[in-house]
């Protein structure tokens, strides 16, 4: 469809952290740096890992817990180094169909929420079944990239 796409993602490992009791913006900041330290070598193998995109954030409306995640590069999918920080963990996300809405610009938590609501409304109007109690934000750009930015919101298909 012109206003969203349905992607099929395979099972994959992500490195994640849950930040509790902060605003989404602050959780993203704290979570990003903890995960960045992991890929810079704060792991059992003291191994540097390439930065990947997207950086995702699990949002459950009305909840002040946010799970921030980096995708682990393909060469580390089979045996990712274990984090040294006890707050950081490796998780396996199962294969899933994901409804995706893309948008540009600098994305704030309010903008992500607005785009998620637009996507939810479109999906409901088209009779699509999806998990409405949570969505993911996905950011693809460095904060230093000023133009042609790419952001997404994701809902998982039921």
């Amino acid at each position: 469809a012109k206003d969203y796409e349905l992607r099929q993602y395979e099972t994959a490992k992500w490195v994640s952290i849950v930040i509790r009791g902060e605003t989404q913006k602050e959780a993203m900041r704290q979570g990003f740096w903890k995960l960045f330290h992991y890929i810079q070598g704060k792991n059992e193998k003291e191994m540097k890992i390439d930065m990947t995109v997207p950086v995702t954030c699990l949002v459950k409306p009305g909840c002040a817990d946010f799970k921030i995640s980096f995708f682990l590069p393909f060469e580390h999918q089979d045996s990712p180094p274990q984090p040294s920080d006890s707050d950081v963990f490796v998780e396996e996300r199962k294969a899933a169909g994901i409804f995706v809405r893309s948008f540009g610009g600098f994305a704030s938590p309010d903008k992500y929420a607005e785009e998620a609501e637009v996507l939810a409304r479109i999906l409901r109007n088209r009779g699509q079944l999806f998990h409405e109690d949570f969505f993911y934000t996905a950011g693809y750009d460095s904060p230093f990239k000023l133009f042609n930015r790419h952001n997404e919101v994701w809902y998982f298909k039921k």
Side-chain angles (χ1 to χ4, degrees):
K2 68 179 185 349
D3 38 16
Y4 74 92
E5 59 185 295
L6 174 58
R7 295 184 193 150
Q8 181 62 39
Y9 281 96
E10 298 307 314
T11 298
K13 291 190 176 91
W14 296 68
V15 62
S16 301
I17 185 168
V18 174
I19 304 292
R20 293 182 167 83
E22 297 288 351
T23 63
Q24 184 177 346
K25 185 174 183 174
E26 180 59 19
M28 282 293 295
R29 188 191 68 74
Q30 287 182 24
F32 178 90
W33 286 110
K34 291 255 192 175
L35 297 174
F36 187 76
H37 292 311
Y38 167 83
I39 66 170
Q40 287 298 301
K42 193 172 179 186
N43 57 63
E44 67 178 0
K45 297 178 183 170
E46 297 183 354
M47 176 188 294
K48 283 195 175 213
I49 298 169
D50 290 338
M51 177 78 200
T52 60
V53 291
V55 175
T56 64
C57 179
L58 172 62
V59 178
K60 295 176 183 174
C63 179
D65 293 355
F66 300 96
K67 182 170 66 176
I68 295 84
S69 306
F70 288 2
F71 177 77
L72 283 162
F74 294 109
E75 63 267 25
H76 298 290
Q77 284 288 314
D78 289 337
S79 61
Q82 287 305 303
S84 302
D85 183 332
S86 62
D87 292 336
V88 176
F89 57 95
V90 174
E91 66 171 330
E92 183 173 270
R93 291 189 195 166
K94 299 295 180 207
I98 299 178
F99 294 107
V100 178
R101 180 170 171 82
S102 300
F103 60 98
F106 279 91
S108 65
D110 286 346
K111 181 65 173 166
Y112 277 124
E114 179 185 311
E115 293 292 337
E117 186 46 49
V118 169
L119 177 56
R121 190 167 53 246
I122 291 166
L123 294 174
R124 283 187 211 106
N125 288 343
R126 301 220 173 120
Q128 296 286 1
L129 298 178
F130 63 101
H131 293 276
E132 297 191 41
D133 53 331
F134 69 91
F135 64 90
Y136 279 89
T137 68
Y140 287 80
D141 301 304
S142 147
F144 306 109
K145 183 175 181 182
L146 301 179
F147 303 102
N148 300 316
R149 295 180 62 80
H150 183 82
N151 313 288
E152 297 174 347
V153 289
W154 298 353
Y155 276 110
F156 280 57
K157 183 179 169 87
K158 278 192 175 174

